Amino acid sequence: MIQYANDTTKQQVYDMWKTVFGDADAYMEIYFREKYRNENTLIYFENKRAVASLQMLPYTFTFCGTEIPVLYHSGVSTLPEARKKGYMHQLLIASFEHAQKNRFPLMLLVPQESWLLKFYDKYGFSQAFDIGTEELPSLKTLIEGFSGDLHAAWRKFNTWFRQKDMTVQKSFDDFRAIVEEATLFDFPPKKNLIGMARVIDAEKLLALFADRYEQKSFSVSVTDELLSHNNHTFSISEGKITKNDSLLQPAFNLNIRELAQALLGYHTSEKGKPLHTIFPEKTPQMNFMME
């Protein structure tokens, strides 16, 4: 049985996190105070006991020159004795339904181990963010430069990323939590994170792409094994999008993983024509996610 968390079950989520990830209590205190919310947490119960859970943290993401709401999967975990029973499968599907109901067109996550790339691929996620090779600007230097004025430091931090397309943005509250976590670990160096993306609403994202690139005209047939509402053929022309399921030969046939990579401009220059001429290459970035 799947339920949203509440004040009574929150402790079970906390205990599960501690069992599965083994994070320090000081870090967990920050995370569960600043990021955790009952309404963003799904729990699978086995005989009234919480055995699997995940959280869906809301962020803002710059996409095609605008900002959209996205959900970031965090704390995806199953107790060791409850694994291989399909509980996480059910939670992930429920998270997609939550995203669709609440109008989040895109979901993101950071796979903590390489084998998870293949696991999440089964659920329509595809790699869309590369791990960084260069260190990001130092938070410690930033904080020291503004003499404890955290709002001023955030405004400077904001200038580093706000104008970058295909980038996860941070509110002041996000930034405050990031700084508190960094202080806890003596400001370790940070790089961009490897990340995956999952399209929840193909029509919405294609419409935003069409509006941004009014001069582009093409058609695309989208296939999605899990979310049937994405299974349509779309025609894009003069900044508008229409469903055109009767079209027999669309310009592109993309599964939902390929669509995410195309829309985010992930290594599109390496693709053949005409795809790389339609979807410009970008450098998607995800960082400072309290990882």
Side-chain angles (χ1 to χ4, degrees), residues 35-70:
K35 306 303 297 182
Y36 173 91
R37 299 293 182 270
N38 288 331
E39 63 270 22
N40 297 332
T41 303
L42 290 171
I43 306 174
Y44 193 97
F45 289 90
E46 182 184 71
N47 298 323
K48 299 184 179 181
R49 177 180 176 234
V51 295
S53 67
L54 59 77
Q55 293 166 50
M56 305 162 289
L57 308 184
Y59 283 94
T60 297
F61 186 72
T62 48
F63 179 84
C64 291
T66 188
E67 295 187 356
I68 64 172
V70 299

Side-chain angles (χ1 to χ4, degrees), residues 35-153:
K35 306 303 297 182
Y36 173 91
R37 299 293 182 270
N38 288 331
E39 63 270 22
N40 297 332
T41 303
L42 290 171
I43 306 174
Y44 193 97
F45 289 90
E46 182 184 71
N47 298 323
K48 299 184 179 181
R49 177 180 176 234
V51 295
S53 67
L54 59 77
Q55 293 166 50
M56 305 162 289
L57 308 184
Y59 283 94
T60 297
F61 186 72
T62 48
F63 179 84
C64 291
T66 188
E67 295 187 356
I68 64 172
V70 299
L71 288 177
Y72 173 75
H73 274 305
S74 179
V76 181
S77 54
T78 305
L79 291 175
E81 63 271 22
R83 291 172 185 168
K84 298 184 179 180
K85 296 182 178 182
Y87 297 159
M88 189 50 64
H89 169 86
Q90 295 183 56
L91 283 173
L92 286 168
I93 298 301
S95 77
F96 299 159
E97 294 170 353
H98 172 95
Q100 184 182 3
K101 178 181 177 181
N102 291 281
R103 299 185 179 181
F104 288 91
L106 189 68
M107 300 190 84
L108 308 175
L109 60 82
V110 171
Q112 296 298 327
E113 298 181 53
S114 58
W115 68 268
L116 288 170
L117 289 165
K118 184 175 293 186
F119 172 81
Y120 285 115
D121 176 86
K122 295 185 296 184
Y123 295 95
F125 285 91
S126 57
Q127 184 174 344
F129 301 82
D130 285 333
I131 193 167
T133 58
E134 299 180 358
E135 289 185 9
L136 295 167
S138 167
L139 281 181
K140 184 176 184 180
T141 301
L142 174 66
I143 298 302
E144 291 175 345
F146 285 92
S147 302
D149 186 342
L150 204 58
H151 277 91

